[in-house]
């Protein structure tokens, strides 16, 4: 009887050890392989869903860029941390230089900037992925003024002009605006 109990105990112990995860005694470098079909199914993403997500993220970055640059311009702060949340070089440097130059001349931005952007192209297969944005920026209520007395800086009048921007997907997963231009010769 005792021999039978020992055999059962040994079998139970072996079954318990066999059921334990391999990583309990492993070096930590092992990976669990799933069948290829399961991996392939998980990696397949609906292209329309992926495209819409990229468009939304790019438009959010563009909106953030306009808001951050407007606020930094009103405070005359070229090092405002919110700029780097939405912008990347070379545009980040251009925006900072513009704000710094205005500050050095005793000027600041004030007023309201109106925007109605649309996505014109999505290149998810590009390395890195990019989204092109077009906007008709209305700067009629957005002025460069002297900080001392709020008089408009001569030649800094606003208007409605075509603006273009590029949002790029960076390795950290953020969409950042790294290119932007206002086409003053193209009213809208």
């Amino acid at each position: 009887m005792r021999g039978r109990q020992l055999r059962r105990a040994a079998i139970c112990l072996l079954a318990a050890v066999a059921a334990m995860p391999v990583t309990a005694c492993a070096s930590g470098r092992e990976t669990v392989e799933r069948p290829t079909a399961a991996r392939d199914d998980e990696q397949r993403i609906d292209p329309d869903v992926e495209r819409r997500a990229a468009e939304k993220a790019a438009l959010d970055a563009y909106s953030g860029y306009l808001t951050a640059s407007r606020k930094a311009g009103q405070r005359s702060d070229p090092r405002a941390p919110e700029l780097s949340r939405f912008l990347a070089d070379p545009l980040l440097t251009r925006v900072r230089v513009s704000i710094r130059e205005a500050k050095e001349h005793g000027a600041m931005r004030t007023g309201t900037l109106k925007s109605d952007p649309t996505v014109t192209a999505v290149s998810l297969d590009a390395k890195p992925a990019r989204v092109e944005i077009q906007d008709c920026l209305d700067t009629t209520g957005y002025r460069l003024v002297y900080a001392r007395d709020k008089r408009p800086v001569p030649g800094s009048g606003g208007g409605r002009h075509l603006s273009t921007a590029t949002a790029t997907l960076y390795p950290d997963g953020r969409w950042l605006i790294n290119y932007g231009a206002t086409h003053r010769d193209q009213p809208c």
Side-chain angles (χ1 to χ4, degrees):
M1 183 78 117
R2 193 158 171 77
R4 226 184 293 169
Q5 287 176 337
L6 283 174
R7 273 191 298 238
R8 279 189 196 159
I11 291 171
C12 287
L13 182 61
L14 285 174
V17 169
M20 290 177 69
V22 175
T23 57
C25 300
S27 67
R29 295 182 191 194
E30 291 76 17
T31 59
V32 177
E33 279 292 317
R34 286 181 279 178
T36 304
R39 277 198 316 264
D40 290 346
D41 288 343
E42 288 177 15
Q43 290 177 354
R44 288 186 197 142
I45 297 174
D46 182 351
D48 290 335
V49 170
E50 191 175 14
R51 179 185 175 89
R52 283 192 303 272
E55 288 177 358
K56 181 183 179 330
L59 289 171
D60 287 348
Y62 181 74
S63 175
Y65 147 57
L66 293 179
T67 300
S69 61
R70 184 179 51 79
K71 287 180 180 178
Q74 287 174 338
R75 292 190 317 256
S76 296
D77 182 7
R79 290 286 173 200
E82 60 265 19
L83 291 173
S84 60
R85 283 187 53 215
F86 301 103
L87 294 165
D89 281 327
L91 184 58
L92 176 59
T93 298
R94 281 186 25 225
V95 168
R96 286 181 168 163
V97 166
S98 176
I99 293 169
R100 188 186 77 237
E101 286 176 349
K103 182 179 180 177
E104 288 171 356
H105 290 96
M108 61 179 269
R109 291 275 176 193
T110 187
T112 305
L113 179 68
K114 294 179 184 173
S115 170
D116 186 25
T118 58
V119 170
T120 57
V122 177
S123 303
L124 295 177
D125 292 334
K127 298 292 180 213
R130 290 184 307 279
V131 174
E132 302 297 326
I133 298 168
Q134 184 173 307
D135 195 356
C136 180
L137 279 180
D138 183 353
T139 60
T140 53
Y142 189 60
R143 299 277 185 202
L144 185 64
V145 299
Y146 291 108
R148 186 174 24 115
D149 58 11
K150 305 295 186 260
R151 283 183 308 121
V153 172
S156 66
R160 292 173 50 91
H161 303 283
L162 177 69
S163 180
T164 54
T166 301
T168 301
L169 180 60
Y170 281 78
D172 64 1
R174 294 184 304 158
W175 284 91
L176 300 173
I177 307 300
N178 64 340
Y179 170 81
T182 298
H183 307 278
R184 298 213 183 272
D185 60 331
Q186 297 180 35
C188 54

